């Protein structure tokens, strides 16, 4: 029996020994020894000056730091892959906990280096970085580290906080992972009550009663762990707010903005431009409700397929191999490099897409820097939305692929710019499908998917941002109950969706089910998605105007994400200032045009069906 052209199960053994083997344990122990030795070595760092002996010491230390950091990323990615594919395997959760226990040593290294850099004057530091090749090639990383020192507690407190976070801050995140991963949902299928993981319960059935029943079954399951999740989210936010207070931050957004290497001015400009323009999406939501034969959409209707027309065919039943072919074809239409990369990664077992029980919910792409490879995790469900998710994660993987030969520390990029590459890949796929559509109905379905994405990024994620922003404000005064969190989420959804859903159609317990609120390594895991989505739309529009040479400009943008702040990366490669509304308005105009196309096509189709 021949192997499928695009396997749905990934291959991990070539990346590292299987975690249960003695070989893996020996490599893991060797890593921990080198990590511990480096951490101890940073306790006595040489002066930040141009003395040849000190420069040699620093160069050697940074080289070892590159190895240790890249190996740590490899190991974390490996553990996450195994744990995601076999969510109930306690051994993989234990491995994740072991890796989390190495965090204090990694934090100690970063803390010691940042404090050494902080104590040097601006002139001393600039001269120091320029005096040795190993330092010069990592200049942006070192400058960023010096800047991060302003977010540090006093040294002894910083090291203690890192050690406490293993069982505190990160422990709460792991508790959520274990609790949500073991959750089971009782749903009816073909008259039988069956048990499913949350990620297997979908809202894309053409039958509204199934969507509604699935929603309430899932909500009932999430309610059973709501109080535990409230504990987790309260303590995660409380820990961060306490830290912010001690380092002198009064704005809880300052830290996530620095993590994303962008300014508050850019964030405020983006959200204000969205708020003044996204009313056009109410027209899309109203028209979709009309097509579905209901007055207003509920939360569980957002991903509903459009009603099937006689003889139109089902373009939302897309086998995995077909999805892979379409993605490769679309990517090749943009550039041969992107197309070749997609074919390689899909053919060579980089993707875990099988739809089976026992997997973790959601999807991700994770990198193995020492191997120059990535792995993609998702659950493919034969839908257009699943195909878009696959393209999205391949966009992430391509981003890492472009950067693979850069210095290790310049292969890292913030989440907002990471989401640009992924949503750009979705845009390439979507536009190609729209061009190749053979009927008005097929174009309508594709536009429905595109505008569903617009609702997700401009309304759903805006609701997450508004919720998290208000939650942090209230959390400063004390812990909140599950009911209070429900109320904040409901208000955030109504504001973000412009009250466009039905009165009883909201999802106040969304904060329980959304993993992103419990990620302890990155705060505010929401606005970077919207940033990346709109940036990718604008970049795609520029590319259509620029013609055939744009693919190289796009590669330069991806390269710049590892060595520039967000605003400078875009300005230096694309020529736009993200602190001004012009670029964001350009992106939002694309969405407005798509709404207009959708409503015109819908009216045309509705008029034909009335005359039949």
């Amino acid at each position: 029996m021949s192997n499928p052209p695009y396997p749905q199960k990934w291959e991990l053994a070539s990346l590292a020994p299987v975690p249960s083997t003695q070989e893996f344990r020996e490599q893991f122990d060797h890593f921990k020894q080198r990590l511990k030795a480096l951490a101890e070595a940073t306790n006595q760092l040489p002066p930040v000056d141009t003395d040849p002996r000190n420069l040699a010491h620093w160069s050697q230390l940074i080289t070892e730091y590159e190895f240790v950091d890249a190996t740590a990323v490899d190991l974390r990615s490996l553990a996450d892959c195994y744990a995601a594919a076999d969510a109930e395997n306690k051994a993989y959760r234990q491995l994740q906990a072991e890796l989390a226990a190495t965090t204090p040593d990694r934090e100690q290294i970063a803390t010691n280096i940042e404090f050494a850099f902080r104590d040097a004057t601006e002139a001393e530091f600039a001269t120091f970085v320029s005096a040795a090749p190993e330092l010069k090639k990592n200049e942006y990383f070192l400058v960023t580290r010096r800047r991060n020192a302003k977010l540090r507690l006093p040294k002894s407190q910083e090291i203690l906080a890192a050690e406490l976070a293993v069982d505190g801050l990160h422990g709460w995140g792991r508790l959520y992972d274990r609790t949500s991963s073991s959750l089971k949902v009782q749903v009816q299928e073909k008259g039988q009550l069956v048990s499913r993981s949350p990620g297997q319960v979908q809202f894309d059935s053409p039958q509204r009663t199934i969507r509604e029943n699935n929603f309430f079954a899932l909500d009932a399951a999430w309610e059973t762990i709501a109080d535990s999740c409230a504990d987790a989210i309260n303590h995660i936010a409380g820990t961060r707010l306490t830290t912010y207070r001690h380092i002198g931050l009064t704005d809880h957004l300052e830290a996530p903005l620095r993590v994303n290497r962008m300014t508050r001015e850019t964030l405020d400009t983006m959200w204000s431009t969205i708020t003044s323009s996204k009313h056009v999406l109410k027209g899309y939501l109203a028209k979709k409700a009309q097509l579905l034969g209901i007055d207003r959409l509920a939360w569980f209707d957002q991903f509903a397929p459009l009603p099937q027309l006689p003889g139109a065919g089902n373009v939302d039943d897309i086998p995995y191999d077909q999805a892979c072919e379409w993605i490769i074809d679309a990517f090749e239409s943009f550039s041969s490099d992107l197309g070749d990369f997609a074919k390689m990664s899909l053919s060579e077992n980089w993707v875990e897409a099988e739809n089976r029980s026992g997997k973790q919910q959601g999807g991700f792409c994770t990198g193995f820097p020492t191997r120059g490879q990535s792995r993609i995790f998702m659950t493919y469900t034969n839908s257009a939305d699943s195909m878009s998710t696959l393209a999205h994660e391949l966009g992430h993987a391509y981003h890492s692929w472009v950067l693979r030969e850069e210095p290790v520390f310049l292969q890292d990029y913030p989440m907002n710019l990471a989401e640009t590459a992924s949503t750009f890949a979705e845009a390439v796929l979507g536009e190609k499908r729209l061009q190749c559509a053979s009927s008005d109905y097929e174009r309508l379905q594709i536009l429905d998917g595109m505008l569903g994405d617009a609702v997700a990024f401009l309304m759903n994620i805006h609701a997450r941002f508004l919720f998290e922003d208000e939650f942090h404000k209230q959390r400063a005064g004390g812990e909140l109950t599950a009911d209070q969190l429900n109320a904040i989420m409901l208000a955030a959804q109504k504001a973000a969706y412009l009250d466009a859903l039905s009165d009883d159609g909201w999802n106040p317990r969304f904060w329980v089910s959304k993993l992103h609120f419990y990620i302890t390594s990155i705060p505010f895991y929401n606005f970077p998605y919207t940033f990346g989505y709109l940036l990718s739309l604008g970049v795609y529009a520029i590319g259509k105007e620029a013609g055939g040479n744009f693919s190289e400009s796009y590669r330069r943008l991806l390269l710049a994400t590892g060595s520039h702040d967000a605003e400078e990366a875009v300005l230096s490669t694309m020529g736009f200032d993200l602190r001004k509304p012009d670029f964001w308005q350009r992106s939002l105009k694309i969405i407005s045009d798509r709404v207009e196309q959708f409503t015109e096509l819908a009216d045309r189709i509705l008029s034909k069906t009335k005359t039949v």
Side-chain angles (χ1 to χ4, degrees):
M1 185 175 180
S2 61
N3 292 326
Y6 304 111
Q8 294 191 48
K9 298 186 73 171
W10 56 22
E11 185 278 323
L12 302 175
S14 66
L15 299 172
V18 176
S20 59
T21 64
Q22 181 63 29
E23 185 182 3
F24 174 83
R25 179 52 55 182
E26 290 173 357
Q27 289 187 11
F28 188 29
D29 289 344
H30 179 65
F31 157 74
K32 289 192 291 185
Q33 290 169 8
R34 288 184 70 167
L35 175 66
K36 178 67 72 175
L38 180 61
E40 291 175 356
T42 61
N43 287 329
Q44 295 183 338
L45 291 170
V48 176
D49 59 27
T50 56
D51 183 291
R53 290 170 299 177
N54 293 337
L55 288 173
H57 190 150
W58 274 108
S59 296
Q60 183 179 4
L61 183 139
I62 294 299
T63 299
E64 179 68 3
Y65 191 11
E66 284 182 307
F67 168 83
V68 166
D69 193 71
T71 304
V73 173
D74 278 3
L75 289 167
R76 184 202 65 206
S77 294
L78 189 77
D80 288 349
C81 285
Y82 277 105
D86 189 1
E88 296 183 24
N89 191 315
K90 294 181 180 179
Y92 298 144
R93 296 297 176 190
Q94 179 62 33
L95 176 58
Q96 288 179 311
E98 281 190 80
L99 282 164
T102 68
T103 301
D105 285 332
R106 296 180 68 192
E107 287 292 331
Q108 180 179 338
I109 296 166
T111 299
N112 287 336
I113 290 175
E114 288 176 11
F115 272 95
F117 290 167
R118 188 183 68 174
D119 293 339
T121 66
E122 196 77 37
E124 288 172 343
F125 187 72
T127 304
F128 163 74
V129 170
S130 299
E134 182 65 25
L135 303 179
K136 185 63 179 177
K137 78 174 187 179
N138 285 294
E139 181 175 10
Y140 178 75
F141 168 75
L142 300 178
V143 168
T144 303
R145 282 298 188 186
R146 185 170 189 267
R147 190 167 60 191
N148 287 349
K150 296 178 181 178
L151 297 178
R152 291 288 187 182
L153 294 163
K155 190 173 179 179
S156 60
Q157 294 180 23
E158 189 70 34
I159 293 171
L160 175 62
E163 292 181 1
L164 292 173
V166 174
D167 295 310
L169 176 67
H170 303 311
W172 287 108
R174 292 195 303 277
L175 173 66
Y176 176 82
D177 289 343
R178 288 194 298 271
T179 304
S180 61
S181 293
S182 62
L183 189 68
K184 296 298 180 184
V185 186
Q186 301 297 312
V187 294
Q188 278 213 341
E189 293 181 5
K190 298 180 180 180
Q192 299 291 321
L193 198 62
V194 296
S195 179
R196 293 284 182 255
S197 300
Q200 292 181 295
V201 182
Q202 302 296 314
F203 304 124
D204 56 0
S205 171
Q207 298 181 44
R208 193 167 197 252
T209 53
I210 293 178
R211 297 196 302 271
E212 185 175 31
N213 287 336
N214 282 354
F215 173 80
F216 284 110
L218 192 56
D219 184 60
W222 287 120
E223 186 178 14
T224 65
I225 62 171
D227 287 337
S228 295
C229 293
D231 285 340
I233 199 172
N234 269 294
H235 294 308
I236 290 169
T239 300
R240 286 180 177 144
L241 289 171
T242 299
T243 302
Y244 297 162
R245 186 171 68 251
H246 280 273
I247 62 179
L249 295 185
T250 57
D251 182 359
H252 53 261
L253 283 168
E254 186 170 348
L257 284 167
R258 289 200 187 188
V259 168
N260 283 283
R261 304 175 192 167
M262 60 184 286
T263 65
R264 182 63 181 263
E265 185 180 2
T266 295
L267 180 67
D268 290 344
T269 299
M270 182 188 79
W271 281 132
S272 63
T273 309
I274 289 171
T275 300
S276 64
S277 304
K278 69 176 176 181
H279 61 275
V280 297
L281 288 172
K282 292 185 71 174
Y284 157 69
L285 294 172
K287 187 60 64 177
K288 180 164 184 173
Q290 183 183 356
L291 288 164
L292 293 175
I294 56 180
D295 291 334
R296 297 166 80 185
L297 299 180
W299 188 271
F300 53 80
D301 293 317
Q302 293 180 80
F303 305 108
L306 298 180
Q308 192 66 32
L309 296 180
N314 187 1
V315 299
D316 201 34
D317 183 11
I318 308 168
Y320 182 73
D321 284 350
Q322 180 67 74
C324 293
E325 291 288 354
W326 283 353
I327 289 170
I328 292 168
D329 182 58
F331 285 8
E332 284 180 343
S333 70
F334 172 70
S335 80
S336 59
D337 187 56
L338 181 58
D340 290 344
F341 170 78
K343 187 170 185 178
M344 175 192 70
S345 53
L346 290 167
S347 302
E348 297 183 6
N349 300 83
W350 285 26
V351 181
E352 166 59 57
E354 188 177 38
N355 187 359
R356 67 175 187 276
S357 183
K359 292 175 68 172
Q360 181 177 296
Q361 62 172 321
F364 62 79
C365 175
T366 190
F368 293 80
T370 69
R371 299 291 183 176
Q373 295 187 23
S374 298
R375 289 297 184 268
I376 291 169
F377 176 84
M378 64 175 295
T379 300
Y380 189 80
T381 59
N382 283 36
S383 67
D385 185 59
S386 273
M387 181 169 63
S388 292
T389 297
L390 180 57
H392 179 101
E393 301 302 343
L394 284 166
H396 282 306
Y398 179 68
H399 195 170
S400 296
W401 181 256
V402 170
L403 287 163
R404 71 190 184 283
E405 295 181 356
E406 295 295 297
V408 167
F409 290 132
L410 301 189
Q411 294 179 31
D412 187 37
Y413 43 84
M415 180 183 167
N416 54 341
L417 293 174
E419 293 311 317
T420 300
S422 55
T423 49
F424 183 86
E426 286 189 77
V428 170
L429 173 65
E431 287 295 332
K432 181 67 173 181
R433 291 187 66 210
L434 204 55
Q435 291 169 14
C436 297
S438 58
S439 67
D440 283 350
Y441 182 70
E442 187 176 352
R443 276 187 286 275
L444 188 73
Q445 286 195 306
I446 295 168
L447 284 166
D448 179 49
M450 289 177 165
L451 292 172
D453 289 342
V455 168
F457 288 114
L458 306 187
M459 291 180 157
N460 185 299
I461 289 176
H462 196 189
R464 300 183 211 176
F465 174 80
L466 293 173
F467 164 82
E468 197 160 6
D469 189 43
E470 181 62 25
F471 165 55
H472 275 78
K473 291 175 183 176
Q474 294 193 29
R475 179 62 182 85
E479 294 183 29
L480 282 73
T481 65
D483 286 342
Q484 289 173 309
L485 292 166
N486 290 345
I488 295 173
M489 179 56 79
L490 180 60
Q493 288 176 358
K494 288 188 173 185
Y497 279 79
L498 304 176
D499 215 15
L501 302 184
S502 61
D503 292 341
D504 59 350
W506 303 96
N507 185 11
R509 255 185 293 275
F510 186 53
W511 62 271
V512 182
S513 65
K514 184 46 63 177
L515 165 69
H516 293 167
F517 293 127
Y518 303 87
I519 294 175
T520 55
S521 58
I522 302 176
F524 274 81
Y525 206 93
N526 42 58
F527 69 81
Y529 279 111
T530 302
F531 179 101
Y533 170 70
L534 289 181
L535 181 56
S536 69
L537 280 187
V539 169
Y540 190 78
I542 295 167
K544 289 176 70 175
E545 296 169 5
N549 295 327
F550 180 71
S551 61
E552 187 53 40
S553 297
Y554 179 63
R555 279 182 60 90
R556 287 198 298 271
L557 172 63
L558 297 186
L559 285 169
T561 60
S563 55
H564 294 76
D565 287 352
E567 291 85 358
E568 181 58 28
V570 175
L571 186 63
S572 64
T573 59
M574 297 288 155
F576 285 91
D577 186 347
L578 299 182
R579 294 165 296 185
K580 298 179 180 178
D582 302 12
F583 180 85
W584 305 111
Q585 289 168 347
R586 183 191 191 97
S587 302
L588 290 162
K589 178 65 165 58
I590 297 173
I591 296 169
S592 178
D593 290 344
R594 288 176 179 172
V595 172
E596 186 177 346
Q597 292 177 57
F598 181 86
T599 54
E600 288 178 357
L601 281 170
D603 287 340
R604 190 186 310 164
I605 290 170
L606 286 169
S607 66
K608 288 180 180 178
T609 57
K610 288 178 182 177
T611 59
V612 174

